[in-house]
Amino acid sequence: MTSLISPFPLLDNHQVPLVLLGGTLCNARLWQPVIEHLNVSSVQTITVCGADSAKAPSQQLLAALPPRFYLAGFSLGAIVALEMMAQAPERLAGLALLSVNPFCDAPANAAGRRNAVQEAALSGVGSWLSATLWPRYVAPDRLEDSALHHTIVQMAQECGTETFALQTEIAITRADHREALAAFTAPVLVIGGAHDEICTAEHHQAVVSAAPRARRITLADSGHFLPLESPQAVATALRNWIQESYHA
């Protein structure tokens, strides 16, 4: 990806680092354009993997991360971020949720999710993603964006089907943490895309309605993959949220 000069001065957050959790079949490539715009002194990107339940990665991360941090999660990463908030709210200086679904997964979805993993393994995860998820991943006017498509497929291939299988179990076993959100006192930022068919306005509003200090931003030109579709807008929102959380 092309490096750029951020429009923002360096934001020193070394005492309270920013932790970014990726979504299904995502790695650090997801966040790189946002980080280049954001220009903060301490940031860590994490690929959600290595566990087969929603609680397990949260416990692993909380054991490894600093005593206090800003936490932002995208899609599956937002699910894990909500679990971390429920387990240790005092550790989070602020919570940002991008393309989030706060509800439990319907039991009827489990078989279809697991079948998708098998199909991806048979046809190749990149080909499977292009045929099934790509049309739902981005805003309509980005469907012919070959560079964006390449990045998303490349991440999926780098993650592989074993990671996909574990991530699928995290999605299946997730809990509804809106009750914990109601007791969470740090600033909560919710960012959604106007064209997101996966995590809709209903999902985003459910978070805002539950959290007492939540603010919602809808990006008019984006679909589900906000960090790659609108990195500058996401960076601006995250930077404002970090500064608000710091002063809180």
Side-chain angles (χ1 to χ4, degrees), residues 15-40:
Q15 292 184 334
V16 185
L18 172 63
V19 177
L20 302 172
L21 306 181
T24 301
L25 293 173
C26 295
N27 57 24
R29 295 182 190 276
L30 172 76
W31 295 109
Q32 191 57 42
V34 174
I35 292 171
E36 290 182 346
H37 284 286
L38 192 56
N39 197 20
V40 296

Side-chain angles (χ1 to χ4, degrees), residues 130-146:
S130 294
T132 59
L133 292 179
W134 170 248
R136 304 179 64 210
Y137 265 175
V138 297
D141 64 357
R142 301 298 294 273
L143 289 173
E144 303 304 319
D145 188 331
S146 59

Side-chain angles (χ1 to χ4, degrees), residues 79-236:
I79 291 171
V80 175
L82 283 169
E83 180 68 41
M84 293 171 69
M85 179 276 304
Q87 290 185 21
E90 73 284 354
R91 301 276 301 279
L92 276 58
L95 176 65
L97 304 168
L98 289 70
S99 302
V100 62
N101 180 345
F103 305 128
C104 296
D105 200 37
N109 291 346
R113 288 186 181 277
R114 290 171 178 141
N115 286 339
V117 175
Q118 295 176 356
E119 291 171 3
L122 288 173
S123 61
V125 68
S127 297
W128 172 84
L129 185 151
S130 294
T132 59
L133 292 179
W134 170 248
R136 304 179 64 210
Y137 265 175
V138 297
D141 64 357
R142 301 298 294 273
L143 289 173
E144 303 304 319
D145 188 331
S146 59
L148 178 58
H149 176 263
H150 174 76
T151 297
I152 292 175
V153 169
Q154 185 178 12
M155 288 194 298
Q157 292 171 331
E158 290 169 347
C159 288
T161 52
E162 290 185 11
T163 292
F164 186 25
L166 292 172
Q167 291 174 334
T168 295
E169 296 305 315
I170 292 173
I172 289 171
T173 59
R174 68 179 185 256
D176 185 332
H177 290 303
R178 283 177 291 167
E179 186 174 337
L181 268 173
F184 186 63
T185 57
V188 176
L189 173 64
V190 180
I191 313 178
H195 300 282
D196 193 345
E197 299 178 5
I198 299 171
C199 297
T200 66
E202 176 189 1
H203 297 121
H204 300 139
Q205 186 56 45
V207 174
V208 174
S209 297
R213 296 195 60 190
R215 182 164 59 94
R216 176 183 169 191
I217 296 175
T218 300
L219 302 183
D221 297 328
S222 295
H224 186 68
F225 260 80
L226 306 171
L228 292 175
E229 292 180 85
S230 301
Q232 185 168 358
V234 169
T236 300

